[in-house]
Amino acid sequence: MKDNMNMKWKQMEILCIIIVSFFLILSVRMIYQPNADPEVNSFVSLSSDWYQIKNGERTDLELPCSVITNSDGEAILYNDTLTDADIGKFVSIRGVQNHLEIRLGDQLLYQYRDDNFQKNSQMKGKLWADACLSDKTGQEPLCLIFRGRQNSRLYVQAPLIGSYSDIIRHHFQESAFSILMVFGMIGLGIVSVIIYFYARHRKIAEKRFFDVAVFLILCSLWCILDSGIYQMYGKQSAAGTLVSFYAFMLMSVPILHFIQDTVSKSKRWIPQIWILLLYGNAVLQTVIHIILQVPFVHMLFVTHLILFTGVIAMILLLWREYQRSQTQVLGLCLKAFEVLGLSGVIALALYWIFSIYWYDAVFQFGIVLYIAFLFWGLLCKVSDDVQFRLEQAVYERMSLEDRMTGLKNRKAFEQAVNKIQTEAALLENVLLLFIEIDGLKKINDMYGLQRGDEAVIRTARSIRPVENGSYEQQVQCFRIEGDEFAVIVSNPQKTPAEWERFIKDELKKETTGGNRIHLKFGYSYLRKTDGTLVSISDWKMQADQMLLFNKEKESEDKYALL
């Protein structure tokens, strides 16, 4: 049983790896689709022939490079290499954190402006400035204007020039890693939901899979709405950015619930503190933003501080719990939070110290690894739970089944009777049939136990069609003694005589030849003809007395014939 379960889980793992690999290859193929006509659909990096004019002198530049702003806080770059062939193409530059403007001579092609949601420099670093080259291309120099503090150093990327479709494709290629991470999160979220409902179907209360699914949904929402792609091309980018902030503030709550369900009850108050802090942070930032008009980006450090301290606290909590119990699930949770903590620290360093725009890719990768560890721990636990439940079900079924005949045994009969006693008031009527093999002991004594066992098995085969072939009645069949069987029919439509005739007809099919088997029957109804209920003990006693009466009557008839 255990080997079969392990084999099934290995097969499921292989199937999941194949499906994930297929979607990754498909995604990469879609993003990195080659151009059909390189001469028409291509883009080039405009890195050469740039220059600045300072104090009437020209300084040549090769992009990317760092430039120094003037006394007005501006850095202006020129390029004269564009021609008429470039009319209608797009120029695209990564990063708008320095209030970029793109001009052709005096004609403004692009100017970054904040929408209804103010962004910081790290968020602006994810964006591209895309501008369509006008009819003046080739007549006027291309001009890039950057603004910062006086005499400050600004890093300038090399612009790209190409068709609109190729520029868009390049943007998606630049975001390929984040896109794949989002696909991975969504895929794992779907798997989490499937496993959650599968566990419920198996009567395994594993709410943590649901917590993981909610966490992955919030992470995916944050990654999508916070991405440069959405910020540039989304119809409601300001609203999307606001939603991404709330998703980021609250996405750790499901994982804290996960930790609560993992650690001992005496320690569950620790994750609860950070759950309340995260909810309070979201509410407080909303109030401050509405009343004092403080932008959310200026309060982002509070969320980072709560998340950082929360991860450290959860690592310490899981470490202490693991030292106490040494369970596999706690060990994997501890490793998962260590990975998340490391990726979070690196991402925060990139964000606050270096102001690098791709900080989120590091954190996204950490999230995927984090979930992978949690998933493995949960799958191992669910696998053990399912295996235990299956073994329990097998043992339970074996304890309720007669091994010789395959019918339910006396224990199952007593359980069925107890259930009827509980539900008696709701039942229209219940018929109880007692069936006994006449002279089984004599068959054993005269022909051997093997012949007696054959008689029992053939009788069981004759009774089983009553259960399998009935469409009107709810029928259960039991072997309650060595030579005695019972049939319970809920809301019966046939009379006891019809049931007796049906079973005897089936028995004739089983005993074609000289080895004839004789059966005796007794029956009783749970309700009298006037509809009143009889007690369960009287119900069974009446059927047993009728069986005994029929046996004695046949014996008397045989004696009278002699």
Side-chain angles (χ1 to χ4, degrees), residues 188-201:
L188 289 174
I190 293 172
V191 172
S192 298
V193 172
I194 292 172
I195 296 177
Y196 170 72
F197 283 107
Y198 173 77
R200 285 193 61 183
H201 174 70

Side-chain angles (χ1 to χ4, degrees), residues 188 192 212 215-216 255 336 366-376:
L188 289 174
S192 298
V212 169
F215 171 71
L216 288 170
I255 290 303
I367 288 173
V368 172
L369 287 181
Y370 166 74
I371 290 299
F373 277 110
L374 290 185
F375 242 81
W376 182 250

